[in-house]
Amino acid sequence: MSSDTLRSIKYSEAEGLKLDKIALKLGRAKRQVFLQMIEYFYRTKKDPLDINDDLLKTTLLKQHRDYVGFIKTQENDLLIPTKREVERMTESQRKVINGFNGLLKQNEVIPTLMDKQNQYLYQLEVHYKAIVAQLKTKENLKRSFLNIFDGYAMARDNISSIGSRKEKDQLLITTQNQIKLL
């Protein structure tokens, strides 16, 4: 303990109960609570009789106004622009997500379209091959026809103008039969 002389204060039992409740509520010893009350009144220069401390009220109101003003300034300078930017960014992200969702839908459709396109190309290839085969057949028919026609012309030239009408008719029928066989 310190070398200070301890003094005692007398108070009623009701005040003692109040001090006990305060000390119990704060979780401190009664002596420590009492010393802290003395220090509080000494530092703040408050009168314990003035329960409605106007100085405290005005100080609190001033600090509250300053605090509210600071918050409003921060709201105008930081919060509102930040909120706008966040909303703008959210909207752009929403558009990006919608774009990706559209791509996903297209990615689901593309394989079926590619299958249809492959089937169409396969059918085109089949038709192309058939056309090429027909063109070859046509060319072969032309060559065969020209051979038959050349044979007819040569045979007709060989048959003299004196030749019988029967030989000429026979040559014509033979040539027609060869053309029909094509």
Side-chain angles (χ1 to χ4, degrees):
M1 278 213 206
S2 65
S3 61
D4 293 337
T5 308
L6 294 177
R7 298 185 182 196
S8 64
I9 297 178
K10 291 186 181 188
Y11 50 85
S12 70
E13 202 172 306
E15 279 84 24
L17 287 174
K18 288 179 184 177
L19 183 60
D20 285 342
K21 285 181 182 178
I22 292 171
L24 184 64
K25 182 179 176 183
L26 297 174
R28 302 180 198 135
K30 287 191 284 187
R31 184 170 188 268
Q32 186 181 6
V33 170
F34 180 74
L35 292 175
Q36 288 172 343
M37 285 191 299
I38 292 172
E39 187 65 28
Y40 173 77
F41 288 118
Y42 181 77
R43 284 188 184 176
T44 60
K45 299 188 181 5
K46 292 183 182 179
D47 183 5
L49 287 177
D50 187 11
I51 294 176
N52 296 325
D53 189 5
D54 289 333
L55 180 63
L56 179 62
K57 284 182 183 177
T58 55
T59 304
L60 286 174
L61 284 174
K62 183 178 181 273
Q63 288 178 348
H64 185 265
R65 271 189 241 118
D66 290 345
Y67 183 66
V68 168
F70 174 76
I71 290 174
K72 285 183 179 180
T73 303
Q74 294 300 313
E75 181 181 24
N76 290 332
D77 292 347
L78 295 175
L79 294 177
I80 292 174
T82 303
K83 182 182 177 210
R84 281 189 201 123
E85 287 299 314
V86 167
E87 286 173 354
R88 186 186 62 77
M89 188 173 59
T90 304
E91 184 61 30
S92 71
Q93 290 297 319
R94 197 172 286 122
K95 288 178 183 177
V96 168
I97 289 171
N98 288 339
F100 278 126
N101 288 340
L103 286 175
L104 288 176
K105 288 177 185 175
Q106 287 180 356
N107 285 343
E108 292 171 0
V109 172
I110 286 175
T112 57
L113 292 176
M114 287 184 69
D115 287 342
K116 287 181 181 179
Q117 185 180 19
N118 285 339
Q119 290 171 359
Y120 179 73
L121 289 174
Y122 176 75
Q123 289 174 355
L124 279 178
E125 183 180 1
V126 167
H127 290 302
Y128 174 75
K129 287 180 180 178
I131 290 171
V132 167
Q134 287 177 359
L135 284 175
K136 285 182 182 177
T137 305
K138 183 178 177 182
E139 289 299 318
N140 288 337
L141 284 174
K142 282 181 184 178
R143 268 190 242 108
S144 297
F145 182 76
L146 284 175
N147 287 338
I148 293 170
F149 186 71
D150 287 343
Y152 170 76
M154 284 176 31
R156 197 178 97 201
D157 288 341
N158 287 340
I159 296 176
S160 65
S161 56
I162 305 172
S164 72
R165 173 90 180 141
K166 186 176 178 185
E167 288 178 349
K168 287 182 181 179
D169 287 340
Q170 184 61 35
L171 177 63
L172 184 62
I173 290 172
T174 304
T175 305
Q176 285 175 347
N177 287 338
Q178 286 178 348
I179 289 174
K180 286 178 185 176
L181 290 176
L182 293 178

